Amino acid sequence: MVVPRVQAAIASAFGEEYRGTDPVVRPSQFADIQINAAMALAKRVGMPPREAAAKIVDALDLDGICTATEISGPGFINLTFDGTWIEELLNAESAGTPDVPAAAARRVVVDYSSPNVAKEMHVGHLRTTVVGDSLVKVFEALGDTVIRQNHIGDWGTPFGMLIEHWLEIGEDSPAAALLVDDPSAFYQAARAKFDASAAEEGGFATRARLRVVALQGGDEETFAVWQRLVAQSKRYFNAIYSVLGISLTDDHIAGESSYDAHLAQLCRELEDRGLARISDGALCTFPAGFTGRDGEPMPLIIRKSDGGYGYGTTDLATIRYRVRELAADRVLYVVGAPQNMHLRMVMATARDAGWLPDTVEAVHVQIGNVLGEDGKILKSRSGAPVKLMALLAEAVDRARAVIDASRPELTESERALTARQVGIGAVKYADLSVGHDTEYVFDFDRMLALSGNTGPYVQYAAARIRSILRKAGVLEQYAVTNTGTGTDTDGDGGTTATPIAVVEPAERALALHLLEYSAALHKVREVLEPHRLCTYLFELAQLFTTFYDQCPVLKSEDSVRESRLALCAVVLGRLSEGLDLLGIETPENM
């Protein structure tokens, strides 16, 4: 709310080069907020923190905004807002007209999910999928043009093995159905045949290798089978995305095969520019700053010694395409943390080649591992990666057991719907509520808890408010949906807005947090951290609980009752909209 004003004051006090300084806004025991920027600025501007704070305060323009501004301690700036100003902003938001400056819109390409054809999606794919989908939703909400890219693994050596296996068993064989029903089993069956015949002349392994050559050479029969494998896998991917509520569709698929026709020319261009050379039979680039344990420059293999292409080649073709053809201002790779070195080398090579200009931001949004209770990467009892569909089904089953016990009066369809919304929401929220680059322990009991920073806690707060508005007979008046949007019931382009009065401390705290919503979204957009939105929603749910405990709503009289109901409606809208941006539904009942 006041960050731009504080930054303007810092620029006025110390020079324009300091305008971008973080004001370091924190809660205060003695005021509404505390500005701690002077503590960090003091050394840079060469004066004591308290003196720096005084210069900031002298330059602050807070007329009509604050009733008190004071400096405390070594240089903390405490601000107490004018209650009328809070009410004006909050009522503007409740009418659908928040007074928040928008950042310049960008054209953003987001690479996320990226499963492999003919392989099961496992728990490791969960994070790349839900983090990427939440980011694109936030970007779009703030006005960015977003291009989703699902860079599936659909090309290369393994497909010779898979195609040969498909041809041997026949498409009508029960084993062929595994491609959709159990992709890992289909892949493992092909791999077992390949390994068993590795030393057999003319056997399955030999035929599989020849299939790779046939595929890359455009053989019609081989290519037709490849298309079938990809089509079957798409159906499986879409089943997962449907259960998770992910916005990816077939139109967003841009797999490795998309770039095959451009790889030879890409290699020639790198050679012509003197950026690639032969090393141990392979064509490699050696971007500056990357060395191995022996201190020698690390190679990024562009063309293998056998003439084939690898991830380095397709990833370079990908980034070149996204800049040249998709006109990206920002390219994000929502990919596992172990790929960081590889992606940095790709980006460095692309910049050296002029394919990734300085005007385009390329970022690896690193995704950490999901761990089991033993602190190791989550696996099944057999030691295999946990299948994502099975994990999601268990989440829904666990939620259903709780709902059956606690809400037997709901109909069968209501309980089934709520179980899905809570179970899937709990898994997604648990993933999104921690830093995407950190590891976390997968724990169903914690995920499904109705206390703490969990999806069900935030969903319950929203369901509780909906129940309050329903009891008051005003739910339809405010028309808050599960995505937080209101309907225009009075013809003025916004929701029906009853003036909200901010009187009690709990009302004030809740109102101030509501006014931070847009700032929270812009921060997610800036630093690419969806967990900040989770934290905002969790704190909002906590503040609502305090408000509801301390400020009677349904039992209040007349204008106070109407004001508090309107405040409840604004909170419900923010909770529902925020959950929607996380890809989580808001249940009608809990």
Side-chain angles (χ1 to χ4, degrees):
M1 297 177 292
V2 297
V3 166
R5 292 174 181 264
V6 176
Q7 290 179 318
I10 291 172
S12 176
F14 306 114
E16 194 61 33
E17 65 269 28
Y18 293 98
R19 182 178 290 274
T21 300
D22 183 356
V24 194
V25 178
R26 297 287 185 268
S28 172
Q29 294 179 327
F30 312 104
D32 288 319
I33 63 170
Q34 189 176 85
I35 306 296
N36 296 344
M39 312 296 290
L41 274 169
K43 187 173 182 180
R44 294 171 59 196
V45 299
M47 62 180 63
R50 194 174 178 90
E51 185 178 338
K55 288 181 72 67
I56 294 172
V57 170
D58 288 343
L60 268 174
D61 176 15
L62 296 174
D63 289 345
I65 294 178
C66 287
T67 56
T69 303
E70 65 174 0
I71 300 171
S72 66
F76 303 124
I77 302 171
N78 291 320
L79 303 181
T80 301
F81 298 124
D82 186 300
T84 301
W85 178 73
I86 295 173
E87 290 176 356
E88 288 175 352
L89 286 182
L90 187 61
N91 282 298
E93 288 218 2
S94 70
T97 55
D99 180 22
V100 179
R106 285 179 281 192
R107 190 173 176 85
V108 188
V109 173
V110 186
D111 180 332
Y112 68 105
S113 193
S114 306
N116 291 312
V117 167
K119 285 189 179 180
E120 186 96 17
M121 288 180 72
H122 55 76
V123 70
H125 291 106
L126 173 67
R127 302 200 74 186
T128 61
T129 303
V130 302
V131 170
D133 212 52
S134 179
L135 286 174
V136 301
K137 286 173 178 286
V138 171
F139 296 155
E140 289 177 331
L142 294 178
D144 286 329
T145 298
V146 178
I147 302 172
R148 294 162 172 81
Q149 295 273 275
N150 193 355
H151 189 68
I152 63 172
D154 65 349
W155 202 244
T157 304
F159 284 88
M161 176 182 77
L162 294 169
I163 293 168
E164 191 65 25
H165 177 56
W166 175 277
L167 288 169
E168 281 197 357
I169 62 178
E171 65 177 289
D172 296 327
S173 165
L178 289 174
L179 187 58
V180 173
D181 299 335
D182 191 349
S184 290
F186 182 89
Y187 180 88
Q188 289 162 6
R191 169 58 67 181
K193 289 164 68 173
F194 186 91
D195 292 342
S197 62
E200 180 184 341
E201 186 175 350
F204 178 84
T206 301
R207 296 195 301 275
R209 294 189 184 97
L210 292 174
R211 280 290 168 194
V212 178
V213 178
L215 175 63
Q216 294 179 347
D219 176 72
E220 289 188 9
E221 180 191 33
T222 304
F223 189 74
V225 176
W226 174 82
Q227 287 181 307
R228 297 194 123 195
L229 294 176
V230 173
Q232 292 277 55
S233 287
K234 284 180 182 178
R235 284 192 278 275
Y236 165 73
F237 298 153
N238 289 333
I240 291 282
Y241 295 150
S242 177
V243 171
L244 273 174
I246 299 300
S247 63
L248 287 169
T249 69
D250 287 353
D251 290 339
H252 302 128
I253 290 177
E256 295 169 354
S257 61
S258 305
Y259 308 96
D260 185 63
H262 308 285
L263 301 185
Q265 185 272 334
L266 180 147
C267 291
R268 287 194 299 271
E269 189 172 338
L270 288 173
E271 285 187 286
D272 291 343
R273 295 188 180 198
L275 295 174
R277 59 181 173 83
I278 300 296
S279 176
D280 293 330
L283 182 65
C284 307
T285 65
F286 294 86
F290 298 92
T291 56
R293 293 180 180 178
D294 57 1
E296 293 296 314
M298 286 184 63
L300 177 68
I301 299 176
I302 307 301
R303 188 179 61 229
K304 301 175 185 178
S305 58
D306 62 3
Y309 304 110
Y311 296 126
T313 332
T314 52
D315 285 340
L316 278 171
T318 299
I319 202 166
R320 185 175 67 169
Y321 173 79
R322 290 168 180 173
V323 173
R324 287 184 178 178
E325 305 301 326
L326 300 182
D329 300 314
R330 200 181 198 191
V331 182
L332 307 183
Y333 292 84
V334 187
V335 179
Q339 296 300 315
N340 182 252
M341 177 72 76
H342 168 77
L343 284 174
R344 286 193 294 118
M345 293 180 75
V346 167
M347 292 173 190
T349 297
R351 290 206 186 276
D352 290 342
W355 301 333
L356 182 62
D358 292 339
T359 54
V360 177
E361 179 187 17
V363 182
H364 177 199
V365 182
Q366 299 186 51
I367 302 299
N369 292 321
V370 182
L371 308 179
E373 293 180 359
D374 59 0
K376 299 178 181 179
I377 294 177
L378 183 64
K379 294 184 181 296
S380 66
R381 291 181 179 178
S382 66
V386 175
K387 296 178 180 179
L388 185 50
M389 189 66 90
L391 180 146
L392 297 175
E394 183 175 353
V396 173
D397 288 345
R398 285 174 177 253
R400 178 62 188 264
V402 174
I403 291 165
D404 284 346
S406 61
R407 299 296 306 274
E409 75 279 9
L410 297 178
T411 66
E412 165 67 23
S413 60
E414 287 174 332
R415 280 180 283 143
L417 174 60
T418 303
R420 180 186 61 77
Q421 292 172 323
V422 173
I424 300 301
V427 171
K428 295 180 75 172
Y429 190 95
D431 199 304
L432 291 163
S433 62
V434 298
H436 58 71
D437 56 346
T438 63
E439 299 176 328
Y440 77 94
V441 175
F442 194 95
D443 182 345
F444 273 125
D445 291 336
R446 180 182 61 79
M447 290 178 179
L448 291 165
L450 277 172
S451 59
N453 188 12
T454 67
Y457 177 81
V458 178
Q459 287 175 316
Y460 177 75
R464 187 182 188 186
I465 297 171
R466 186 172 273 114
S467 176
I468 293 167
L469 297 178
R470 189 182 296 114
K471 288 178 181 177
V474 297
L475 183 59
E476 291 185 2
Q477 172 187 338
Y478 288 106
V480 181
T481 71
N482 69 341
T483 58
T485 49
T487 58
D488 183 7
T489 58
D490 58 7
D492 65 354
T495 59
T496 299
T498 299
I500 299 171
V502 178
V503 179
E504 299 297 328
E507 289 175 318
R508 187 184 186 93
L510 183 56
L512 286 172
H513 195 67
L514 284 167
L515 295 175
E516 292 296 331
Y517 176 70
S518 291
L521 293 188
H522 279 86
K523 194 65 176 178
V524 172
R525 177 180 184 259
E526 175 190 347
V527 300
L528 309 174
E529 295 177 350
H531 75 268
R532 292 175 181 267
L533 178 54
C534 293
T535 299
Y536 173 87
L537 295 175
F538 172 55
E539 292 174 350
L540 180 59
Q542 287 181 307
L543 287 166
F544 172 78
T545 299
T546 301
F547 156 76
Y548 189 70
D549 290 343
Q550 297 180 6
C551 303
V553 177
L554 296 175
K555 294 182 179 179
S556 294
E557 298 293 331
D558 303 328
S559 61
V560 174
R561 182 177 188 269
E562 296 306 310
S563 169
R564 289 176 179 172
L565 285 170
L567 182 56
C568 287
V570 176
V571 176
L572 176 56
R574 288 291 174 263
L575 289 173
S576 300
E577 183 178 310
L579 285 171
D580 184 61
L581 293 178
L582 295 173
I584 296 171
E585 295 181 44
T586 307
E588 292 282 341
N589 302 285
M590 278 188 72

